[in-house]
Amino acid sequence: MKFLSYKKKFFFVDKISIEKLSKKFKSPYYCYSLSQIKLNLDNFKNLFNKSSPLICFSVKSNSNIKILNELKKEGCGADVVSMGELSAALKSGIKPSKIVFSGVGKTEEELLFAIKKNILLINIESESEAILLNKISQKISKKIFVGIRLNPNVNSGNIRKISTGLNDDKFGLTEKNFLNLFKKVNNYKNLTLQCISVHIGSQILKINPFKNTLNVLEKIINKTNFQFKYIDFGGGIGIPYENKNNKFDLRKYSNLVEKFALKHRCKIILEPGRFIIGNAGILVTKITYIKKTKNKDFIILDAGMNDLIRPALYNARHSIVPSKKNNTNYKKNIEFVGPICETSDKFLNVKKYQHIKEKDFLLILDVGAYGMSLASNYCFRPKPAEILISKSNIKVIRKKEKINKLIMNN
Ligand code: LLP
């Protein structure tokens, strides 16, 4: 992590130290490095430079409109799954011709909205959706471009809760159902099929699940004997969290994908989320209390599971580091917890740590993706602010919510 790291004792995001930033902003707050986001995107683009794919940033990973706008300036499109995400992407300036819309439960209202906005593709996930989409398009006399999402029955080998590619999962169409719908698609006069899409899950660190997916795609494309204009390979590329050595081989992946698309003469769509922004964000939190018990000390933070739910929901492990390093040792086992009245409101257990005390600032790392976008108002807690750092420039890109507004918002 080049732009989020220690300089001597102090943790910096670009040119700003968290100690300094925390004098200005009340914790907990999210803080992102624009340089890191751009670096991640450049690395991604460079590996696909032979095919110049359409990179549709997955808005669910981080839907902050200022960040979307920065990604737009870098040429990104958007992968959206709701009317809210579609509206945010449009508002950020991303062109409709660079937006793809997936999701198993798009409502009539959402489909109508997407059709009217002339987005690039709607990826259909069931026959019922195809029927409804055709009906709506007919009603407003519009012809639209669609993809069909394949469920390849591939195990992505990651956390079960974020796997999407098995036939047991609700996503996409099984091979048989895909081919059935493919045969019928010509009957839907207002739909023009252009894309086959697939997304087998998230935080995938091995290449094999992707290889297996390409094998299934190959089989299906051959069976249809159809010239798809696009293959949408989805997202899913994992990043190293705690274990920094466990890195996905993106070069291998890009080679496979580019070869595949070349063979089938298709344009490539990719929908990365986590890879672009995961390591570019931290959650800054302050120690409210330290509660000592016989076996361990509870480090009670001002950030809770409403601010960052990944540890509670998926047992995800995010490193927690001090904003200021010292050379002393904490003498006991530590459990970092939030203030919320649930046992699962805990972030991490550690056996070794430096000495820390109440009011110190700590940073929960690698939370740029699926951090703020999954935050909630549980326990009537206002969602945190989001700060974007670009070199020495500090920008509030989302203000901390106000309790009064939360209470009166009905
Ligand atoms: N495309 C589609 C259709 C998706 O459903 C997703 C993520 C992506 C792209 C982006 O995947 P990525 O490149 O970010 O892995 N909340 C979970 C992750 C859920 C991902 C859902 N779909 C987490 O915190 O790990």
Side-chain angles (χ1 to χ4, degrees), residues 73-211:
K73 287 190 226 157
E74 303 297 312
C76 284
D79 146 52
V80 300
V81 293
S82 70
M83 196 155 131
E85 285 188 1
L86 175 51
S87 307
L90 291 169
K91 185 101 198 210
S92 77
I94 295 176
K95 283 201 197 110
S97 60
K98 288 186 170 183
I99 300 179
V100 296
F101 192 3
S102 301
V104 291
K106 304 176 203 83
T107 63
E108 185 164 351
E109 186 192 12
E110 288 180 312
L111 290 173
L112 179 63
F113 184 73
I115 295 169
K116 284 191 176 161
K117 295 294 176 193
N118 296 318
I119 65 170
L120 179 66
L121 287 167
I122 298 178
N123 285 331
I124 295 169
E125 303 215 18
S126 65
E127 189 173 343
S128 300
E129 186 186 346
I131 294 167
L132 178 61
L133 192 54
N134 188 52
K135 206 171 103 192
I136 306 170
S137 326
Q138 255 171 1
K139 223 181 187 172
I140 59 167
S141 310
K142 264 201 145 163
K143 295 221 162 179
I144 60 162
F145 296 124
V146 297
I148 307 180
R149 177 167 171 180
L150 172 72
N151 179 319
N153 201 24
V154 161
N155 190 341
S156 64
N158 60 348
I159 309 170
R160 187 66 192 100
K161 277 189 182 163
I162 53 173
S163 291
T164 54
L166 287 169
N167 281 176
D168 207 31
D169 303 326
K170 66 182 174 185
F171 301 96
L173 288 127
T174 61
E175 284 185 40
K176 190 166 156 248
N177 291 343
F178 184 100
L179 292 169
N180 278 339
L181 183 61
F182 172 78
K183 279 183 208 139
K184 289 184 192 164
V185 88
N186 272 343
N187 304 335
Y188 305 129
K189 297 290 174 226
N190 288 53
L191 311 187
T192 306
L193 181 62
Q194 285 203 326
C195 175
I196 178 165
S197 83
V198 74
H199 172 79
I200 57 168
S202 199
Q203 184 52 15
I204 301 168
L205 287 163
K206 301 237 164 69
I207 197 80
N208 265 347
F210 289 110
K211 271 191 189 158

